Amino acid sequence: MEYSNLRRQIVFMKKNLFDQGYLDEQFNQLEDLEDESSPNFLEEVVALFFKDSSRLLTNIEQATDKYPQDFYKLDSLVQQLKGSGSSIGALRMKNECSVFKANCNDRNLEGCRRSLQKIKREHATLKQKLESYFQLLRQVGPRDYAVSSRK
Amino acid sequence: MGAEAVRVLVVDDSPVDRRVVELLLRAAHCGGGGGGAAPFHVTAVDSGKKAMELLGQRRSNRLSTSSPPASADVSEQAIDIVLTDYCMPEMTGYDLLKAIKALGSPNPIPVVVMSSENEPQRISRCLTAGAEDFILKPLKINDVQRLRKCSGVKPKTAMVQWQLPLPVVCMKKKWKF
């Protein structure tokens, strides 16, 4: 019974992540790639994303504080973050990066700073939510989860 | 007997994207390739410069021996297709595409460019420069079939050396599920 509850929690949690716009279909695509040869592929890729994106956010922050402003460089860094976010299905982060890029294009420094703060919040929230999600998955086991997630 | 492996060189400065593409290509063989589907052997590098160094190395290996030994490690053999990101620092995917085409081999390696930006000018530029295809990121499992076609690697039952450039394909489909 405990096992069924866990599975229900996982499905519910995932549905929320999608309904609230944190994730998009790309996340499902990656999850579907998991098999016996790569059972923890998704968690591995997500961990890699958070490691890489933390580095990028630090670089973006430094670039934002730099004077004179190099909006081209800033845009390039944000593009990298947008790209890797998109690759794991991090929809909200991807969208905020688009707003950031628009601010770079307009050479709107204040807009860039606001976008950065928002992206950092989204980043922290997504990280926390996905950590909880994978923690539950580990309790259930990847093979069984793969069946339940397609409902 | 299974199909001959398609040796892909993936070039992307994003470690996340390199990993995703690598696993996508492996999964495409295991999951839905069918009986004759060629498996992918993936080599991934993080810059155009490293890609050119590797391609030069593999080319030297091939030229220095009259024929590859039967027991040669597939990782040391020539590359069948290059899959490169467009936006990379220093050497962009476009620069890499031109550099590969400039190698002047009678059998130029096919290059497929990928990008997260759906910019018609960028796509046109790459296809004009000789890219076999242009794929929008994030890559999906269905995009893998396009790679296979662009590589020109045939199943063992019909061994044909890839000689002529494949027809240029410009597809801007967004796969929806």
Side-chain angles (χ1 to χ4, degrees):
Chain A
M1 206 178 298
E2 179 64 28
Y3 184 78
S4 298
N5 282 340
L6 276 172
R7 284 177 62 176
R8 263 198 297 276
Q9 276 181 59
I10 288 169
V11 172
F12 181 73
M13 193 183 276
K14 189 177 169 188
K15 185 176 183 303
N16 271 349
L17 284 168
F18 276 78
D19 289 347
Q20 291 168 12
Y22 286 102
L23 298 175
D24 65 21
E25 187 53 37
Q26 178 68 8
F27 189 84
N28 278 336
Q29 290 262 315
L30 296 183
E31 198 162 58
D32 286 347
L33 293 177
E34 287 189 329
D35 59 16
E36 295 86 356
S37 61
S38 330
N40 302 313
F41 165 51
L42 183 56
E43 188 175 357
E44 179 206 325
V45 167
V46 166
L48 185 57
F49 167 72
F50 282 112
K51 184 181 170 188
D52 189 51
S53 57
S54 295
R55 175 189 64 85
L56 280 170
L57 280 170
T58 301
N59 291 348
I60 290 168
E61 187 144 32
Q62 286 170 355
T64 309
D65 290 338
K66 211 174 161 189
Y67 187 82
Q69 263 307 322
D70 184 346
F71 285 102
Y72 180 79
K73 168 83 178 171
L74 195 48
D75 179 82
S76 170
L77 287 168
V78 175
Q79 175 59 32
Q80 288 180 54
L81 181 60
K82 182 184 172 187
S84 56
S86 172
S87 291
I88 69 151
L91 181 59
R92 276 200 189 183
M93 279 202 62
K94 182 178 84 169
N95 290 342
E96 275 313 313
C97 286
S98 294
V99 173
F100 200 142
K101 281 172 67 70
N103 283 320
C104 289
N105 195 48
D106 295 339
R107 302 178 74 82
N108 178 355
L109 183 58
E110 274 315 302
C112 288
R113 287 190 172 132
R114 279 195 301 272
S115 287
L116 174 60
Q117 293 313 311
K118 206 155 179 212
I119 287 173
K120 283 166 76 173
R121 283 194 297 272
E122 293 292 348
H123 183 263
T125 303
L126 182 63
K127 188 175 183 199
Q128 184 216 355
K129 286 183 181 292
L130 286 178
E131 274 171 359
S132 302
Y133 177 71
F134 286 119
Q135 199 167 27
L136 273 182
L137 279 185
R138 281 193 287 272
Q139 292 178 53
V140 165
R143 192 190 292 267
D144 288 335
Y145 162 69
V147 172
S148 66
S149 72
R150 290 190 188 113
K151 290 180 186 159
Chain B
M1 293 291 265
E4 187 180 330
V6 178
R7 294 156 299 199
V8 187
L9 175 61
V10 175
V11 191
D12 200 318
D13 61 319
S14 164
V16 175
D17 289 357
R18 283 199 304 277
R19 193 74 182 117
V20 167
V21 169
E22 187 180 356
L23 284 159
L24 248 175
L25 294 180
R26 283 204 205 142
H29 166 60
C30 297
F40 289 99
H41 180 268
V42 181
T43 303
V45 295
D46 62 7
S47 70
K49 185 181 169 196
K50 284 185 186 166
M52 290 306 292
E53 284 169 1
L54 187 142
L55 291 171
Q57 216 171 43
R58 300 275 176 105
R59 213 163 165 232
S60 301
N61 289 345
R62 286 175 65 212
L63 293 171
S64 66
T65 59
S66 53
S67 59
S71 57
D73 183 359
V74 67
S75 64
E76 293 303 317
Q77 293 175 20
I79 296 293
D80 294 312
I81 185 165
V82 174
L83 175 61
T84 179
D85 186 28
Y86 184 94
C87 289
M88 294 188 293
E90 293 177 15
M91 190 178 197
T92 66
Y94 178 71
D95 296 332
L96 176 60
L97 163 66
K98 289 201 297 178
I100 290 172
K101 294 302 172 187
L103 286 174
S105 160
N107 298 321
I109 301 170
V111 179
V112 171
V113 180
M114 48 183 178
S115 174
S116 53
E117 300 297 306
N118 186 1
E119 285 182 24
Q121 276 189 341
R122 178 179 293 186
I123 297 169
S124 170
R125 205 174 162 219
C126 289
L127 296 177
T128 303
E132 302 307 318
D133 203 347
F134 192 103
I135 299 179
L136 283 180
K137 281 175 149 184
L139 249 71
K140 308 249 188 304
I141 197 77
N142 292 357
D143 293 325
V144 173
Q145 286 308 322
R146 291 159 70 179
L147 254 191
R148 200 170 266 133
K149 284 180 186 167
C150 289
S151 76
V153 173
K154 302 288 185 195
K156 278 187 177 169
T157 50
M159 286 276 291
V160 175
Q161 274 292 347
W162 190 83
Q163 288 185 344
L164 298 171
L166 292 173
V168 164
V169 175
C170 176
M171 294 168 68
K172 291 190 283 178
K173 270 187 186 171
K174 274 205 89 102
W175 298 96
K176 289 188 179 169
F177 296 91

